[in-house]
Amino acid sequence: MKIAALGGGNGSFAAAGDFALSGHEVRLWRRDADQVAAHRAAGSRILVKDHNGSHDVKLALVTTDIAEAVSGAELILCPAPAFAQPDIARLLAPHLRDGQVVFLPPATFGSMIFAQAARDCGNHAKASFAETGTLPWLTRKHGPFEVAITIRAKRLPVGVFPLDQAPRALAVIGQAFPGAIEPCGDALSGALMNAGPIIHPPLIVMNAGPIEHFERWDIHKEGTQAAIRRVTDALDAERIAVREALGYGAPHFPLAHHYAKEDEIWMYGRGSHDRLTDSGDWRERIALTEHRYMREDLRLGLSLLVSVAGLAGVATPLAKAFLAIGGAVCGEDFAQGGRTLETLGLGNLDKAALRTLLRRGFDR
């Protein structure tokens, strides 16, 4: 299959390398011209390290030209942070064609941003947009063209916009992730599977002291204590209550299953938390006011949850509290703006109208 991977971060390199390792034709797009030139000079290769060793794979193309990257691609995967989505969506929008699938893992309802960008530029191609609850790889770059994959996802709940196009979209995504895709309905259902806004805000806010004191700190190892886990479960209960109020059924992929050592299988499978901490790759420097855990998962992810909860009639006191504390840490008012139904242009819709839009897509 022809696949385009967009971005230059951990997820994009894991995607490009892993898809090439699986035999797909992969084109990597990123905006940094100097990095692209250096990557080409190095042979357009990525060294993928996993539990089976090291694998030197060659990409079909590394480019700064997004039109060239996505031309003829059946799947366009963009794991860039949510705050980068509007710019990338505008660059991509004119080049989408019928049948292409844009997959955002995860996205904080970014599927709507990409779909709206196509509509706003006058592109009426029958493309579909999908998102899931986590990045399909626990991964970190170990060098400019080297990426370590600790775990590959076992279960990926995927929501599609418009829902009427889900069968084809899921079939395409399933070719890239064989056996791992689990349909979960429309794109908002997929957005409400996002684990980042549940796991990361308690870990960074409740570990703010050691994060700023130590040069490097592993929020998933020393930072994951019983008190924090209880808060995480309570925050996750707010997410699940919103899903249930909107009529989305189980499985809700409760984050507690990520920590379970047996019985429950979460998105990354059994024992994934221990494998993550054993790798040592998450002992890192976190600049609280700048890191994507704050800027993406807390500011955007929790503002979306609070906004959708308002439509659903569900109280979210913890989500609101973390927004307030995160904003205070950054010297901003996170309750204003963020990513909400209003900022996405959907604030005038009631539940029935939103459900219809998610199923049918925009009027053409």
Side-chain angles (χ1 to χ4, degrees), residues 119-132:
R119 177 201 62 185
D120 293 346
C121 81
N123 185 347
H124 300 299
K126 291 183 178 180
S128 49
F129 307 84
E131 56 187 279
T132 186

Side-chain angles (χ1 to χ4, degrees), residues 46-109:
I46 293 179
L47 184 67
V48 179
K49 301 191 296 186
D50 61 12
H51 67 282
N52 289 321
S54 297
H55 319 273
D56 185 17
V57 299
K58 183 173 176 59
L59 306 183
L61 178 70
V62 180
T63 182
T64 58
D65 185 339
I66 199 167
E68 184 182 27
V70 304
S71 177
E74 298 163 78
L75 178 67
I76 301 167
L77 186 135
C78 181
F83 48 74
Q85 290 168 351
D87 286 343
I88 296 175
R90 283 191 291 269
L91 292 171
L92 174 65
H95 309 294
L96 292 173
R97 299 294 178 261
D98 287 350
Q100 289 186 310
V101 179
V102 179
F103 186 39
L104 310 165
T108 318
F109 214 18

Side-chain angles (χ1 to χ4, degrees), residues 235 238-239 241-242 302 305-310 314-321:
L235 180 60
E238 295 181 358
R239 174 189 69 89
V242 172
L302 289 186
L305 180 61
V306 168
S307 173
V308 177
V314 174
T316 53
L318 274 174
K320 290 180 178 179

